[in-house]
Amino acid sequence: MAGGGKKEKGEGLGRALIRQRNKAAAAAKERGEALAFARRRAAPLESVIDVSDIDAVLQRAAEADQLAESASVSSSDDLVIDLDATGETAEERRRLRKEQEAMHAGSLQVPRRPPWSTQMTVEELDAKERRAFLVWRRNLASLEENDKLVLTPFEKNIDIWRQLWRVLERSDLLVMVVDARDPLFYRCPDLEVYARELDEHKKTMLLVNKADLLPLNIRKKWAEYFKAHDILHVFWSAKAATAILEGKKLSGYSEEESTSLDLDTKVYGRDELLMRLQAEAESIVAQRRISTTEEDRDVSSSDSASASSMAKHVVVGFVGYPNVGKSSTINALVGEKRTGVTHTPGKTKHFQTLIISEDLMLCDCPGLVFPSFSSSRHEMVACGVLPIDRMTKHRDAVQVVADRVPRHVLEQIYKITLPKPKPYESQSRPPTAAELLRAYCASRGHVSHAGLPDETRAARQILKDYIDGKIPHFELPPGVTDAETEHEEVIGSEGPTTSAGNESDADDSVEEDGTVDPAEPDMRHVLSDLESFDLANEGSKAGRKKKKEASDKHHKKPQRRRIGPGGLATMVVTGHQL
């Protein structure tokens, strides 16, 4: 009996330990499910790029409290305020800004996901990711304190970056979709570095979308630039591929002409692009398998490695800025509409996987705005990165279009006549946003409720035409000038406003007798212009006076006859007897 009692006591202790362990596991599972349920019940996942001043203050205060709790986070550098006012010119400020941007280019990084394992709980992983994300935000905030650096709006929602982390870990080949009209603006070099940090065998391909909007010679220039910098690229047009699937034809695009070109400059079709993506991904998987067989496989590295390496599918992930055509590319490759496509950036909220065949699977990531130095908020609105319907200063965004597109091109497209520059102005200056908007409103009849030109409506339509490609424009590779392209529709990377040669030629035309400085406006033209303005005002005043006299004569009482007592007719005019 005693032996039996000890056995029962031992079995009871073992069962108690098992029950305690099961309870702890169940409690951790309930906490993880509660956290996941709270995330599902939260507000819909939306991209956060712009924040108000109050939200920024509250957010920074919350970040400071969370960072103070973690002992591993180091304090940021002190802000150094320079009280010495120096009279710097615009060129010196631009040069200093370029130097500062080159110095801090390495700080513009994509937020890294901290190391994790399957043994970690959901709460531990969530807290670790948030701490790493706050450290990344604090580093960018320290860059914003530098007066010589202007940091563009970027994604501030950690849940959007989590979608990118999952796509990077799943993908064998990472495809960065960029706009062909300005590929370097939409390219993020640090994302390629991050992909190689996850797996040294991962490759990043630049999918140059909307390539049908580029002339052939410009496409060759970009192909030479990509080859010189060892950038894997493919020219592609999602709009043309979709039109071919629907049996339509696009003007200016010929499928036979694209097939006759070489692989570097041709615009790939749907089947050709699928074969190229699958071949690149399979070569990456083959290299990874060879390296794992030669070396001992580490358990810790196998947890963070790509899960697709052990699967039968090769995964191709699509990332990039909003509104560059990722969803349109996915729909064209799948052959049907599987993702939503709109003009508003940020339509895709969560990453999604699509099986193309038994050997290929695509993974679509929501659009992300990466931090950068090179552009302003108005340029990002004009490029379609920020929503057009939410812009507050429409003239600044339209001015970007007016600076990049020549005057005669705008007049031909919209069938309008823009006001010419004054004689004392540079004849090569681009039209102002007000001139373009008012001419557009006058030709289309857009009038607001107050009777003024509806510039907001006109600005939205012009910006949408600029994004869709109805207004032709494109940037040139660095180091290539307009003269080298030998194309009449080329719009240089510096734009017409920065052409020093044109400005000097226009000013030299004013300097005829050698007495006028070309850097200063000719005052004779100014005075003549003012004199003509005064004469016009006097003429308008005289005209108004004549109209008033004519109206007074017109409104005089009519004459009528009155028969007097003597039988004679007398004329009565305005109550007076003649």
Side-chain angles (χ1 to χ4, degrees):
M1 295 294 292
K6 291 181 180 179
K7 186 176 181 180
E8 291 178 358
K9 184 176 180 180
E11 291 179 355
L13 180 60
R15 291 194 183 95
L17 293 175
I18 293 174
R19 284 196 299 270
Q20 183 179 3
R21 183 176 180 181
N22 291 338
K23 286 181 180 180
K29 184 178 180 181
E30 289 178 0
R31 290 194 300 270
E33 291 178 353
L35 181 60
F37 182 72
R39 289 180 180 177
R40 287 195 298 268
R41 292 197 61 183
L45 184 60
E46 294 183 356
S47 177
V48 179
I49 299 175
D50 297 330
V51 293
S52 61
D53 295 337
I54 298 178
D55 295 338
V57 171
L58 296 177
Q59 191 172 11
R60 288 193 178 186
E63 291 175 1
D65 294 338
Q66 296 182 14
L67 289 174
E69 296 176 358
S70 178
S72 60
V73 180
S74 60
S75 61
S76 61
D77 297 334
D78 296 334
L79 176 63
V80 179
I81 302 176
D82 187 11
L83 299 179
D84 297 333
T86 58
E88 298 176 350
T89 62
E91 295 181 358
E92 292 178 353
R93 288 194 298 268
R94 191 181 302 110
R95 180 180 56 82
L96 293 175
R97 182 172 60 85
K98 292 294 183 181
E99 293 178 357
Q100 291 291 327
E101 290 179 0
M103 186 183 303
H104 297 85
S107 301
L108 289 179
Q109 295 183 348
V110 175
R112 265 62 168 172
R113 188 180 189 183
W116 61 280
S117 62
T118 55
Q119 288 77 21
M120 298 175 61
T121 60
V122 180
E123 297 89 345
E124 294 176 355
L125 180 59
D126 181 75
K128 199 172 183 180
E129 289 178 351
R130 290 187 179 275
R131 282 196 298 269
F133 186 75
L134 291 179
V135 172
W136 175 73
R137 287 287 309 274
R138 176 61 60 87
N139 294 333
L140 292 181
S142 63
L143 291 178
E144 292 178 346
E145 295 175 353
N146 192 340
D147 296 336
K148 294 181 175 60
L149 295 177
V150 179
L151 198 63
T152 58
F154 58 92
E155 184 59 55
K156 300 177 178 63
N157 191 354
I158 186 176
D159 293 327
I160 300 292
W161 289 105
R162 282 170 172 161
Q163 308 297 317
L164 176 67
W165 293 340
R166 292 181 175 91
V167 172
L168 286 175
E169 292 176 354
R170 288 170 176 261
S171 303
D172 298 309
L173 175 65
L174 187 65
V175 177
M176 191 181 304
V177 185
V178 298
D179 196 319
R181 293 169 291 184
D182 193 1
L184 299 184
F185 174 80
Y186 300 94
R187 182 186 174 222
C188 182
D190 187 68
L191 188 62
E192 304 174 5
V193 177
Y194 184 29
R196 289 193 297 268
E197 291 178 0
L198 294 176
D199 187 358
E200 60 180 357
H201 301 287
K202 282 184 185 290
K203 289 183 180 180
T204 303
M205 175 185 288
L206 216 62
L207 186 64
V208 187
N209 191 25
K210 304 178 184 179
D212 56 329
L213 301 177
L214 294 181
L216 179 58
N217 57 340
I218 305 300
R219 227 184 301 156
K220 291 180 179 179
K221 295 293 182 181
W222 277 112
E224 294 174 358
Y225 176 82
F226 292 145
K227 289 184 65 177
H229 292 78
D230 196 15
I231 299 176
L232 184 64
H233 71 283
V234 168
F235 288 104
W236 158 260
S237 176
K239 187 176 181 180
T242 305
I244 292 174
L245 287 175
E246 296 175 354
K248 301 178 182 178
K249 291 185 179 180
L250 291 179
S251 60
Y253 175 77
S254 176
E255 188 178 5
E256 292 80 6
E257 182 180 355
S258 63
T259 56
S260 61
L261 302 175
D262 56 352
L263 297 178
D264 294 332
T265 57
K266 66 175 297 185
V267 180
Y268 277 64
R270 174 180 175 271
D271 297 335
E272 295 173 338
L273 182 59
L274 287 175
M275 293 174 59
R276 178 71 181 274
L277 295 177
Q278 185 173 351
E280 294 289 345
E282 289 178 351
S283 65
I284 294 172
V285 173
Q287 292 178 3
R288 184 185 298 121
R289 288 175 179 173
I290 292 175
S291 62
T292 52
T293 53
E294 293 177 353
E295 300 176 359
D296 295 333
R297 184 172 301 176
D298 192 0
V299 178
S300 59
S301 63
S302 64
D303 294 335
S304 60
S306 176
S308 62
S309 61
M310 301 302 295
K312 62 179 182 178
H313 294 94
V314 290
V315 182
V316 178
F318 288 83
V319 298
Y321 275 80
N323 208 12
V324 294
K326 294 188 305 299
S327 299
S328 301
T329 300
I330 293 292
N331 293 333
L333 294 178
V334 174
E336 57 182 352
K337 186 175 181 180
R338 300 291 294 273
T339 58
V341 178
T342 60
H343 285 288
T344 304
K347 175 65 176 178
T348 306
K349 302 298 182 183
H350 300 273
F351 82 96
Q352 48 188 339
T353 55
L354 302 169
I355 298 177
I356 302 298
S357 62
E358 296 181 355
D359 302 326
L360 180 62
M361 182 168 63
L362 307 181
C363 189
D364 186 19
C365 177
L368 279 156
V369 180
F370 303 101
S372 63
F373 290 136
S374 58
S375 62
S376 63
R377 182 184 301 271
H378 314 304
E379 292 180 357
M380 300 181 78
V381 173
C383 295
V385 176
L386 298 180
I388 297 177
D389 297 332
R390 298 180 186 177
M391 65 178 177
T392 56
K393 298 180 180 179
H394 56 274
R395 282 192 178 183
D396 295 331
V398 174
Q399 190 62 48
V400 176
V401 180
D403 292 340
R404 294 182 178 179
V405 183
R407 180 188 296 266
H408 68 278
V409 175
L410 294 173
E411 292 178 343
Q412 292 176 1
I413 292 175
Y414 291 120
K415 302 297 188 294
I416 59 177
T417 302
L418 295 173
K420 295 182 179 180
K422 298 295 182 180
Y424 54 85
E425 295 179 341
S426 174
Q427 299 301 310
S428 61
R429 73 163 179 87
T432 62
E435 294 174 349
L436 177 58
L437 292 175
R438 290 172 183 173
Y440 184 88
C441 292
S443 63
R444 302 302 191 272
H446 295 338
V447 182
S448 61
H449 298 288
L452 300 175
D454 194 354
E455 295 186 1
T456 304
R457 179 182 177 185
R460 291 176 179 175
Q461 186 61 44
I462 291 174
L463 290 175
K464 288 180 180 179
D465 294 342
Y466 182 79
I467 295 172
D468 293 340
K470 295 180 181 178
I471 301 178
H473 75 283
F474 44 82
E475 301 294 332
L476 299 176
V480 179
T481 59
D482 295 345
E484 297 178 2
T485 58
E486 296 179 358
H487 193 274
E488 59 181 4
E489 295 181 357
V490 169
I491 304 170
S493 58
E494 296 180 352
T497 58
T498 58
S499 179
N502 294 335
E503 292 182 0
S504 61
D505 296 340
D507 294 333
D508 290 339
S509 62
V510 179
E511 188 181 8
E512 295 178 356
D513 55 354
T515 59
V516 181
D517 187 3
E520 298 180 358
D522 191 358
M523 297 305 297
R524 292 176 299 178
H525 293 289
V526 179
L527 295 177
S528 63
D529 188 63
L530 292 176
E531 184 180 357
S532 62
F533 179 76
D534 294 337
L535 292 176
N537 289 339
E538 292 177 0
S540 62
K541 289 180 181 179
R544 287 195 298 268
K545 186 176 181 180
K546 291 181 180 179
K547 288 182 180 179
K548 185 177 181 181
E549 293 177 356
S551 63
D552 292 341
K553 292 181 180 180
H554 180 72
H555 288 291
K556 284 184 178 180
K557 293 183 178 180
Q559 299 177 353
R560 58 181 178 176
R561 291 179 179 271
R562 178 179 294 179
I563 305 299
L568 296 176
T570 58
M571 299 295 294
V572 179
V573 180
T574 65
H576 299 284
Q577 188 174 9
L578 298 177

